[in-house]
Amino acid sequence: MTANQDGNGNWGNPLKARRLGIDTQDEAVIFLRKDSEICRSEGFASHARVQVTHGEKSIVATLFQITANTLHHFEAGFSDSAWYRLGLTEAGEVTVRHPAPLESLGSVRSKVYGHRLSYPAFYSMISDVVAGRYSGIQLSSLITACAARALDIEETIALTRSMVEVGDKLTWQSKPVVDKHSVGGLPGNRTTPIVVAIVAACGLTIPKTSSRAITSPAGTADVMETLTRIDLDLPQMRRVIEREGGCIVWGGAVRLSPADDIFIRVERVLDLDSEGQLVASVLSKKIAAGASHVVLDLPIGPTAKIRSQQAADEISASLIQVADAFGLRVTVVKGDGTQPIGRGIGPALEAKDVLAVLKGSPDAPAELRARALCLAGAALEIGGAAPVGEGFALAEAVLNDGRALAKFQRICEAQGGMREPPEANYKKMICATHSGHVTGIDNRKLARLAKLAGAPDDKAAGVLMHVRLGDSVLQGETLYTLHAESPGELEYALNYARHAGDIITVSAP
Amino acid sequence: MTANQDGNGNWGNPLKARRLGIDTQDEAVIFLRKDSEICRSEGFASHARVQVTHGEKSIVATLFQITANTLHHFEAGFSDSAWYRLGLTEAGEVTVRHPAPLESLGSVRSKVYGHRLSYPAFYSMISDVVAGRYSGIQLSSLITACAARALDIEETIALTRSMVEVGDKLTWQSKPVVDKHSVGGLPGNRTTPIVVAIVAACGLTIPKTSSRAITSPAGTADVMETLTRIDLDLPQMRRVIEREGGCIVWGGAVRLSPADDIFIRVERVLDLDSEGQLVASVLSKKIAAGASHVVLDLPIGPTAKIRSQQAADEISASLIQVADAFGLRVTVVKGDGTQPIGRGIGPALEAKDVLAVLKGSPDAPAELRARALCLAGAALEIGGAAPVGEGFALAEAVLNDGRALAKFQRICEAQGGMREPPEANYKKMICATHSGHVTGIDNRKLARLAKLAGAPDDKAAGVLMHVRLGDSVLQGETLYTLHAESPGELEYALNYARHAGDIITVSAP
């Protein structure tokens, strides 16, 4: 036994923690000297997954080995993410050892080979994911397997339940608790803040938690972040609801279905999501948030996420069936998904559309207003605030007389103060090369364009639409404007716009 | 335009390269200051994939951002792998920009959703993989998709052809060119070095390239590395073949089917491989190596990779059909895969078994000798060195009279000199807890045990078997010995041995 063997027979431990100031995003990284006693005695290879413990906290991190003199033999360097997750301070001590074998990876393989997974299998998989025991490579395999070997209803229920169980769960005094979700894929479909404002203004409880973008240029959380604070914890969210009846916060900060946010980061890299995971993602958040009644918005279009009436019917059936298993009542509202709803695509640009609708500005996007009223009407009806058939009219009245705007402002104030969305420093107008009618808008290419311009990470970046399907345009008239926060990204998006083929199709008359 | 904008409008470039002495294995990592001009102007986020160029060389690397003062604003830090791949020297200059969108990722998604892929789709995918454009997360999705959505014969041919085309291809003066491969999953099945020695001793050409382990405790390359140099380049390999007629080198160093080695590293983490990829992996190496005739060894057993006669028939059919499309003649030899062939499991331990057979030691593993003679016989017949039915006898004669050993020694000398395999410093005998007969050996658990002990990265690590199926043992008699290079790993393996349930089943008489 050497001087540095701990009571459990671990050689080379403990180690002194050192923060290296390296941002690796969500991936926890630990740096150890290759010739350190710990690496030699434990036989750690570079890129190995190791278990790091500091006091009560323990994480699995990726090991990078240092071959230079940057670290001492009994030091362990940490990326920022690992540092925060372990709650470390300078000169804090850690122990490093082999992690327990990841047994739930057997379920991933089982899924790859086409076997059905049970609730216990999903639960242990999701528990391991939330504990940070899956590397990016392993998460990717899990997500790809569930996309390639479609989950059936029972598996989707099991996945949903697992995702609910591993996180926090909210309960509310007043019933019903209404919620709302749009199944993405349609740029500029930012109805949620308007719906929440109207529904809360009518006295219903609507504790809305939103996701960041998965594969789109902006999620509701990204948009709201340009207007107010969204990373509220549970007690803060509860105070907002008690005061205003509604809120729009980021789901990740309140740990409702925390696995979802981990999946989202990998799905983003792969540009991939599947029906089973989509249903589990949507409903696990609603169930965990304590909703009793949910309105789901399903835009249908050839380049939206839901491409046909048939696909919409299928996913509606799955959503309703899975929701039913949890005693959740669901109304599905299908709508036009052939073109962007608002004008802006990207966090700040969509926030400006939302404000224009709430303020009743004459240039507010009419389609966004109409869609929001439709969904708010459905929510008022399902929540019992309006008789069937009268929801839309009530929603319109509340929007027109300014009650919705006032409620929205109060919600933002309650969440931490309202602010103005940022404006991009770099813009470029894209004009029609010939006159004619707009006969096609490629939502996927538009979303790609907004992402290349920097959305959603750059809040002001994105695309501002100047035309809609059917509009007649003259040669040289602006079709859309690119917004970016850096010249590099503006150039990058512009380059794509030049080579991607028809993003907006203008047909000669 | 700032002082540091290059002619192509790239802000913040060029940057001074600095080697940070960080071993990240195959993952190329670049470190930039978060507040550097390049990160701000290009809008790079941490964990982004960036294109790094140095002179003629260009790679895609993962970006980690530095929030401390470790780097200057116009410096770029590099992991060892990125440093070598770019051929950098201190004070060398690099430019960093956004990589082109990875179009072939669309084919991965297409496969996930069950569409068949064409040759051009596979080719562009494999080209991108070999160029290092896929991150670990993206590679993992590709591999999982091909496992979940089984490739049909045409797709397997297309994948095989793509894997051949993106690498080097060998041609040989003398024909036929014989080759041999064992489909893994069976520990201690190290016949290749013996077969190559016998076949080359009989005057045939057998330019053997081998893989490292995928999910097993040792590949032939790992085993041979304990005896001689295996990372020969093409001209070196050619010189060995011209002199000795045979060689046993690592396929990765000669860039025959280089995609295979990249896949292997991810498959290892996932413990996953599929029939289509297995066939493409085996045959692409043989085709690229210029083989005309191949003997394939298929061990069948409940815990081997091929578990049933039916599975063996299916994979044989695929192998022969795909080989046929490339004008390659294949003989499949099916064999017993119910227990390890040799005594050792792990690189050095298996090398010792090989030497014992070649030297005709009285304690040489009889089953390893028999299996090697069987495969060598088939190779001699398919290669025309022996009439049908007389291959085994010729192989036996060449082994018995020492010609095989002499040839093996000359091959090792030609590859760079022969050495002794290392001996483990830490050993632990596992003994029978009661008397009886050995009625079961779990190959998968044994392989796992050898890997936990450190194989294949630790050459001396693994398991040495003392019993075979049917043996009678007394209480306290040794069943197997664990070998490890570090006490931590010995402890880790031992812990698994204690809790894994029956690895070797001893049934009371």
Side-chain angles (χ1 to χ4, degrees):
Chain A
M1 188 160 143
T2 74
N4 271 74
Q5 184 182 356
D6 72 11
N8 299 318
N10 292 286
W11 284 262
N13 280 318
L15 298 161
K16 277 219 159 44
R18 232 180 87 187
R19 183 171 176 187
L20 296 183
I22 296 177
D23 177 358
T24 57
Q25 286 213 336
D26 46 299
E27 188 180 1
V29 178
I30 180 172
F31 297 81
L32 296 173
R33 275 182 82 111
K34 193 168 197 158
D35 57 359
S36 62
E37 185 171 343
I38 181 94
C39 283
R40 283 181 296 122
S41 69
E42 292 287 326
F44 292 140
S46 204
H47 235 264
R49 302 276 290 166
V50 296
Q51 178 103 30
V52 189
T53 306
H54 170 63
E56 301 285 288
K57 291 186 178 170
S58 195
I59 62 168
V60 177
T62 299
L63 168 65
F64 285 168
Q65 289 183 331
I66 302 277
T67 52
N69 279 322
T70 336
L71 282 179
H72 294 293
H73 279 80
F74 283 103
E75 276 185 339
F78 288 95
S79 69
D80 293 348
S81 51
W83 187 264
Y84 291 122
R85 279 172 57 201
L86 283 167
L88 279 165
T89 48
E90 277 316 323
E93 284 188 340
V94 296
T95 53
V96 181
R97 52 175 63 93
H98 287 278
L102 194 57
E103 299 294 347
S104 71
L105 206 53
S107 299
V108 175
R109 276 193 294 278
S110 188
K111 190 73 209 154
V112 168
Y113 297 128
H115 303 291
R116 295 184 65 254
L117 297 185
S118 63
Y119 172 67
F122 276 113
Y123 183 81
S124 73
M125 224 162 67
I126 299 300
S127 300
D128 283 339
V129 166
V130 169
R133 295 191 195 106
Y134 273 63
S135 69
I137 284 175
Q138 291 161 335
L139 276 174
S140 171
S141 187
L142 189 166
I143 286 162
T144 306
C146 290
R149 298 284 197 173
L151 306 185
D152 64 23
I153 287 293
E154 273 178 58
E155 285 181 292
T156 307
I157 292 170
L159 173 60
T160 306
R161 194 181 304 278
S162 305
M163 288 172 73
V164 171
E165 289 304 320
V166 299
D168 294 326
K169 280 167 281 182
L170 305 189
T171 47
W172 305 98
Q173 296 292 336
S174 48
K175 293 272 168 184
V177 177
V178 181
D179 211 335
K180 177 263 162 200
H181 185 84
S182 289
V183 174
L186 191 61
N189 187 18
R190 205 53 55 207
T191 53
T192 295
I194 307 167
V195 172
V196 170
I198 295 172
V199 171
C202 291
L204 292 177
T205 301
I206 182 163
K208 182 82 187 84
T209 64
S210 295
S211 294
R212 295 190 183 279
I214 301 181
T215 57
S216 73
T220 295
D222 302 305
V223 172
M224 283 302 296
E225 201 171 22
T226 71
L227 293 164
T228 186
R229 237 192 94 197
I230 56 160
D231 57 338
L232 277 62
D233 62 20
L234 273 181
Q236 291 168 333
M237 178 180 170
R238 199 173 283 284
R239 276 195 295 273
V240 175
I241 290 295
E242 276 163 13
R243 211 166 97 183
E244 301 298 340
C247 70
I248 310 135
V249 302
W250 176 48
V254 286
R255 276 189 60 85
L256 299 177
S257 187
D260 194 39
D261 301 285
I262 296 170
F263 289 146
I264 281 172
R265 286 193 287 260
V266 174
E267 285 164 358
R268 249 193 193 178
V269 173
L270 298 175
D271 211 344
L272 190 75
D273 47 8
S274 65
E275 181 176 310
Q277 279 179 304
L278 192 148
V279 169
S281 162
V282 170
L283 296 182
S284 63
K285 288 266 199 256
K286 308 295 135 202
I287 294 159
S292 58
H293 295 76
V294 177
V295 175
L296 293 174
D297 170 29
L298 249 63
I300 306 163
T303 54
K305 188 168 281 180
I306 310 294
R307 303 199 195 186
S308 65
Q309 192 64 45
Q310 194 199 328
D313 290 344
E314 279 171 23
I315 198 148
S316 296
S318 296
L319 283 162
I320 291 169
Q321 225 177 324
V322 173
D324 200 52
F326 295 90
L328 190 66
R329 269 202 59 204
V330 166
T331 300
V332 176
V333 179
K334 294 169 194 158
D336 174 39
T338 55
Q339 59 182 325
I341 307 291
R343 292 207 185 92
I345 302 167
L349 292 168
E350 297 182 35
K352 288 176 186 188
D353 281 349
V354 165
L355 291 179
V357 169
L358 286 169
K359 288 176 178 168
S361 310
D363 64 340
E367 292 76 8
L368 179 64
R369 178 188 148 92
R371 179 77 63 108
L373 288 175
C374 190
L375 293 166
L380 294 174
E381 290 177 15
I382 201 177
V388 174
E390 294 177 25
F392 188 94
L394 174 58
E396 194 166 30
V398 170
L399 181 63
N400 286 348
D401 67 13
R403 273 183 286 165
L405 174 63
K407 174 56 79 177
F408 185 76
Q409 288 165 332
R410 282 200 304 272
I411 289 173
C412 287
E413 287 307 324
Q415 288 190 196
M418 191 162 173
R419 55 179 173 246
E420 280 298 308
E423 182 77 23
N425 283 320
Y426 301 90
K427 297 180 193 175
K428 177 80 185 174
M429 290 193 285
I430 308 294
C431 301
T433 53
H434 56 270
S435 302
H437 281 84
V438 176
T439 55
I441 293 180
D442 191 320
N443 291 321
R444 284 166 195 267
K445 287 184 181 171
L446 272 178
R448 179 98 179 250
L449 194 58
K451 283 159 70 183
L452 292 176
D457 290 336
D458 294 350
K459 296 294 173 198
V463 174
L464 185 65
M465 302 293 293
H466 296 254
V467 296
R468 294 188 63 79
L469 281 174
D471 285 1
S472 66
V473 294
L474 295 172
Q475 185 183 346
E477 211 178 312
T478 308
L479 299 174
Y480 59 90
T481 308
L482 285 174
H483 288 229
E485 292 187 5
S486 74
E489 283 169 307
L490 188 68
E491 192 55 44
Y492 194 45
L494 205 55
N495 200 33
Y496 178 77
R498 285 193 195 105
H499 298 104
D502 280 341
I503 293 175
I504 294 180
T505 309
V506 177
S507 303
Chain B
M1 187 159 145
T2 75
N4 272 72
Q5 184 182 357
D6 71 11
N8 298 318
N10 292 287
W11 285 260
N13 280 317
L15 299 161
K16 278 220 159 44
R18 232 180 88 187
R19 184 172 176 185
L20 295 184
I22 297 178
D23 177 359
T24 58
Q25 286 214 335
D26 47 297
E27 188 179 2
V29 177
I30 180 171
F31 297 81
L32 296 173
R33 274 180 82 109
K34 192 167 198 159
D35 57 358
S36 63
E37 187 169 341
I38 183 91
C39 284
R40 283 182 296 122
S41 69
E42 293 287 326
F44 291 139
S46 203
H47 236 261
R49 302 278 290 167
V50 297
Q51 177 103 30
V52 189
T53 307
H54 170 63
E56 301 284 288
K57 293 188 176 169
S58 195
I59 62 167
V60 176
T62 299
L63 168 65
F64 284 168
Q65 290 184 329
I66 302 278
T67 52
N69 279 322
T70 337
L71 282 178
H72 293 292
H73 279 79
F74 285 102
E75 276 185 336
F78 288 95
S79 69
D80 293 349
S81 52
W83 188 264
Y84 291 123
R85 280 173 56 201
L86 283 167
L88 279 166
T89 48
E90 277 315 323
E93 283 189 340
V94 295
T95 54
V96 181
R97 53 175 64 91
H98 287 279
L102 193 58
E103 298 294 346
S104 71
L105 206 54
S107 298
V108 175
R109 276 192 295 277
S110 191
K111 189 73 209 156
V112 168
Y113 296 129
H115 302 291
R116 295 185 63 252
L117 297 185
S118 63
Y119 172 66
F122 276 113
Y123 183 81
S124 74
M125 224 162 66
I126 300 300
S127 301
D128 283 339
V129 166
V130 169
R133 295 190 195 106
Y134 273 63
S135 69
I137 284 176
Q138 291 161 335
L139 276 174
S140 170
S141 187
L142 189 167
I143 286 162
T144 306
C146 289
R149 296 285 197 172
L151 306 185
D152 64 24
I153 287 293
E154 273 178 58
E155 286 180 293
T156 308
I157 292 170
L159 173 60
T160 306
R161 195 182 302 279
S162 305
M163 288 173 73
V164 171
E165 289 304 321
V166 299
D168 294 326
K169 280 166 281 182
L170 305 189
T171 48
W172 305 97
Q173 296 292 338
S174 50
K175 293 272 168 185
V177 177
V178 181
D179 211 334
K180 176 267 159 195
H181 185 83
S182 289
V183 173
L186 189 60
N189 186 18
R190 205 53 56 205
T191 53
T192 295
I194 307 168
V195 172
V196 170
I198 295 172
V199 171
C202 292
L204 292 177
T205 302
I206 182 162
K208 183 80 186 87
T209 63
S210 296
S211 294
R212 295 190 184 277
I214 301 183
T215 56
S216 72
T220 296
D222 301 307
V223 173
M224 283 301 297
E225 202 171 23
T226 70
L227 293 164
T228 185
R229 235 190 95 197
I230 55 159
D231 57 338
L232 278 62
D233 61 20
L234 271 181
Q236 292 169 333
M237 177 180 172
R238 199 172 283 284
R239 276 195 295 276
V240 175
I241 290 295
E242 276 162 13
R243 213 168 97 182
E244 302 298 340
C247 71
I248 309 135
V249 303
W250 176 47
V254 289
R255 275 189 60 85
L256 299 177
S257 187
D260 194 40
D261 301 285
I262 296 169
F263 289 147
I264 281 171
R265 286 193 285 260
V266 175
E267 286 164 359
R268 249 192 195 179
V269 174
L270 298 175
D271 212 343
L272 190 73
D273 47 7
S274 65
E275 181 177 311
Q277 278 180 304
L278 192 149
V279 168
S281 164
V282 171
L283 295 181
S284 63
K285 288 265 199 261
K286 309 295 136 201
I287 294 159
S292 59
H293 296 75
V294 176
V295 174
L296 293 175
D297 170 28
L298 249 64
I300 307 162
T303 55
K305 188 168 280 180
I306 311 292
R307 302 200 196 188
S308 66
Q309 192 64 46
Q310 194 199 328
D313 291 345
E314 278 171 23
I315 199 148
S316 296
S318 296
L319 283 162
I320 290 169
Q321 225 178 324
V322 173
D324 200 51
F326 295 90
L328 190 67
R329 270 202 60 204
V330 165
T331 300
V332 176
V333 179
K334 294 169 194 156
D336 174 38
T338 53
Q339 60 182 326
I341 308 291
R343 289 207 187 92
I345 303 167
L349 292 168
E350 297 183 35
K352 289 177 185 185
D353 281 350
V354 165
L355 290 178
V357 169
L358 285 169
K359 288 178 178 167
S361 309
D363 64 341
E367 291 76 10
L368 179 64
R369 178 188 149 92
R371 179 75 65 108
L373 288 174
C374 189
L375 293 165
L380 294 174
E381 290 177 14
I382 200 177
V388 174
E390 296 177 25
F392 188 94
L394 174 58
E396 194 167 30
V398 169
L399 181 64
N400 285 348
D401 66 14
R403 275 183 287 165
L405 175 63
K407 174 57 81 179
F408 185 75
Q409 287 165 333
R410 283 199 305 273
I411 289 172
C412 287
E413 287 307 325
Q415 288 190 195
M418 192 161 171
R419 55 178 173 247
E420 280 297 309
E423 182 78 22
N425 282 321
Y426 302 89
K427 297 180 193 174
K428 177 80 186 175
M429 291 194 283
I430 308 294
C431 302
T433 52
H434 55 271
S435 302
H437 282 85
V438 177
T439 54
I441 293 181
D442 190 319
N443 291 320
R444 285 166 194 269
K445 286 184 182 170
L446 272 179
R448 178 99 180 249
L449 194 58
K451 284 159 69 183
L452 291 177
D457 291 336
D458 295 349
K459 296 296 174 197
V463 175
L464 185 65
M465 302 291 294
H466 295 253
V467 296
R468 295 188 62 77
L469 281 174
D471 285 1
S472 67
V473 293
L474 295 173
Q475 184 183 348
E477 210 177 316
T478 308
L479 297 174
Y480 59 89
T481 309
L482 284 174
H483 288 231
E485 292 187 5
S486 73
E489 283 168 307
L490 188 68
E491 191 55 44
Y492 195 43
L494 204 56
N495 200 33
Y496 179 76
R498 284 192 196 106
H499 299 103
D502 279 342
I503 295 174
I504 295 180
T505 309
V506 176
S507 303

